[in-house]
Amino acid sequence: MNSLENQVAIVTGGAMGIGGATSRSLADSGAKVLIADIAIESAETNARAIRERGGTVLVVEADVSKALSIKNMIDHAIEEWGRLDILVNNAYNAPFGGNQNVVDTTEEQWDAGMALLVKAIFLGAKYAVPHMANQGSGSIINISSVHGMLTAPGSLIYEAGKSAVIGATRQMATEFGPMGIRVNAICPGHIVTERVQPQWDANPSGLKFFENQYPLRKVGKPDDIANAVGFLCSDAASFITGHSLVVDGGLTIQLQENFGVQQAHFLTENPDSPLPYCRE
């Protein structure tokens, strides 16, 4: 692992899933980690695991859709440790499914989704960048998705938000590069988190169908994304900024017409396999 000794990191949504694994990974690399999450009990559980591994961690309750909450989160890290080196904008929690198209989506749904997906990374950078600029260095990692590159029907808010994350990442990288601040995004494929695992436990044949969509014939784990975060915020990536790193087991590299034939063959050979619905 790349050493992050004496660096300070904030991970939003750091209690579980991708954020939970990222918090543990950064702490294992030597960073002091502030977990910001609305799920305080889960965040404290993750913090205990980090401390048991010898890491340094704090937990702060934060609603990343609110400016005051994010400012307090940043201020807490500065007051405790005197600097901020890494900000991982990861938090997002909204119900999946539903017919989210332009006609049927309500204004309230749109505003709530954009606040979590896009406004949160704007606010995170707004309050983090001045501290990073003062020290002449910093790394911001924004978690997007393969849905920010390819789109699916019925997912207006998620697709629009994750696409906006990629655009905002590029703009921030251009803006803040002269200050010594690098800004990158990660686009995960399907990651089996603690919340997703029960779905696949109940539908193993559906998981097999899903895995068949990936050239590596497997889906991802939270640690796969945590490892990518660790690389991008380390000195090993010191000449990388404005990049959207796709970590998807090859999902997005496939020619779609061939991919469709492949899946048709799979269903012919596995006629009882139920078709899963899932979002990366």
Side-chain angles (χ1 to χ4, degrees), residues 202-223:
N203 184 11
S205 58
L207 176 59
K208 184 178 178 183
F209 173 82
F210 216 75
E211 290 176 329
N212 195 62
Q213 300 178 58
Y214 288 75
L216 291 180
R217 296 299 186 266
K218 65 178 182 178
V219 292
K221 307 182 296 294
D223 284 343

Side-chain angles (χ1 to χ4, degrees), residues 133-215:
N134 284 341
Q135 66 197 31
S137 65
S139 178
I140 298 174
I141 310 292
N142 299 319
I143 304 300
S144 181
S145 169
V146 292
H147 285 257
M149 308 175 70
L150 304 171
T151 59
S155 303
L156 171 68
I157 296 172
Y158 195 75
E159 316 300 86
K162 290 301 188 181
S163 298
V165 169
I166 293 173
T169 295
R170 292 171 176 167
Q171 196 284 329
M172 291 179 188
T174 303
E175 191 87 39
F176 304 141
M179 305 174 189
I181 301 168
R182 296 184 298 108
V183 187
N184 291 289
I186 294 177
C187 299
H190 181 61
I191 305 299
V192 180
T193 64
E194 299 96 324
R195 291 177 178 174
V196 174
Q197 187 66 57
Q199 168 190 323
W200 293 132
D201 289 342
N203 184 11
S205 58
L207 176 59
K208 184 178 178 183
F209 173 82
F210 216 75
E211 290 176 329
N212 195 62
Q213 300 178 58
Y214 288 75

Side-chain angles (χ1 to χ4, degrees), residues 86-108:
I86 299 162
L87 171 63
V88 182
N89 286 312
N90 163 76
Y92 176 67
N93 183 25
F96 293 156
N99 191 19
Q100 286 184 354
N101 59 47
V102 169
V103 175
D104 298 322
T105 297
T106 67
E107 184 177 359
E108 290 74 19

Side-chain angles (χ1 to χ4, degrees), residues 74 124-136 179 181:
I74 300 291
K126 178 180 180 65
Y127 294 111
V129 164
H131 298 289
M132 293 179 174
N134 284 341
Q135 66 197 31
M179 305 174 189
I181 301 168

Side-chain angles (χ1 to χ4, degrees), residues 6-278:
N6 299 319
Q7 294 198 32
V8 173
I10 295 175
V11 182
T12 70
M16 300 174 65
I18 289 172
T22 297
S23 298
R24 293 189 295 274
S25 177
L26 294 177
D28 286 347
S29 295
K32 301 177 179 70
V33 178
L34 186 146
I35 296 174
D37 209 301
I38 58 174
I40 289 298
E41 288 188 11
S42 296
E44 291 289 1
T45 298
N46 196 26
R48 283 194 295 273
I50 290 172
R51 293 186 186 107
E52 288 171 0
R53 295 154 72 136
T56 301
V57 61
L58 290 174
V59 172
V60 170
E61 185 173 8
D63 178 350
V64 297
S65 68
K66 302 291 193 298
L68 182 59
S69 189
I70 288 188
K71 183 178 184 301
N72 288 341
M73 170 189 82
I74 300 291
D75 288 347
H76 196 98
I78 297 298
E79 290 166 6
E80 185 70 25
W81 293 311
R83 60 184 295 117
L84 178 60
D85 302 280
I86 299 162
L87 171 63
V88 182
N89 286 312
N90 163 76
Y92 176 67
N93 183 25
F96 293 156
N99 191 19
Q100 286 184 354
N101 59 47
V102 169
V103 175
D104 298 322
T105 297
T106 67
E107 184 177 359
E108 290 74 19
Q109 288 172 329
W110 174 267
D111 289 344
M114 289 299 108
L116 288 168
L117 287 164
V118 184
K119 180 183 175 184
I121 71 166
F122 147 65
L123 291 172
K126 178 180 180 65
Y127 294 111
V129 164
H131 298 289
M132 293 179 174
N134 284 341
Q135 66 197 31
S137 65
S139 178
I140 298 174
I141 310 292
N142 299 319
I143 304 300
S144 181
S145 169
V146 292
H147 285 257
M149 308 175 70
L150 304 171
T151 59
S155 303
L156 171 68
I157 296 172
Y158 195 75
E159 316 300 86
K162 290 301 188 181
S163 298
V165 169
I166 293 173
T169 295
R170 292 171 176 167
Q171 196 284 329
M172 291 179 188
T174 303
E175 191 87 39
F176 304 141
M179 305 174 189
I181 301 168
R182 296 184 298 108
V183 187
N184 291 289
I186 294 177
C187 299
H190 181 61
I191 305 299
V192 180
T193 64
E194 299 96 324
R195 291 177 178 174
V196 174
Q197 187 66 57
Q199 168 190 323
W200 293 132
D201 289 342
N203 184 11
S205 58
L207 176 59
K208 184 178 178 183
F209 173 82
F210 216 75
E211 290 176 329
N212 195 62
Q213 300 178 58
Y214 288 75
L216 291 180
R217 296 299 186 266
K218 65 178 182 178
V219 292
K221 307 182 296 294
D223 284 343
D224 293 321
I225 308 306
N227 290 338
V229 172
F231 165 69
L232 284 177
C233 63
S234 75
D235 288 343
S238 63
F239 200 50
I240 300 175
T241 196
H243 181 66
S244 296
L245 178 60
V246 180
V247 186
D248 72 345
L251 179 70
T252 57
I253 64 174
Q254 303 168 99
L255 187 64
Q256 294 303 297
E257 57 189 8
N258 293 73
F259 171 67
V261 171
Q262 168 195 311
Q263 290 300 86
H265 283 305
F266 178 89
L267 289 174
T268 299
E269 296 167 1
N270 301 272
D272 297 327
S273 178
L275 300 181
Y277 172 82
C278 199

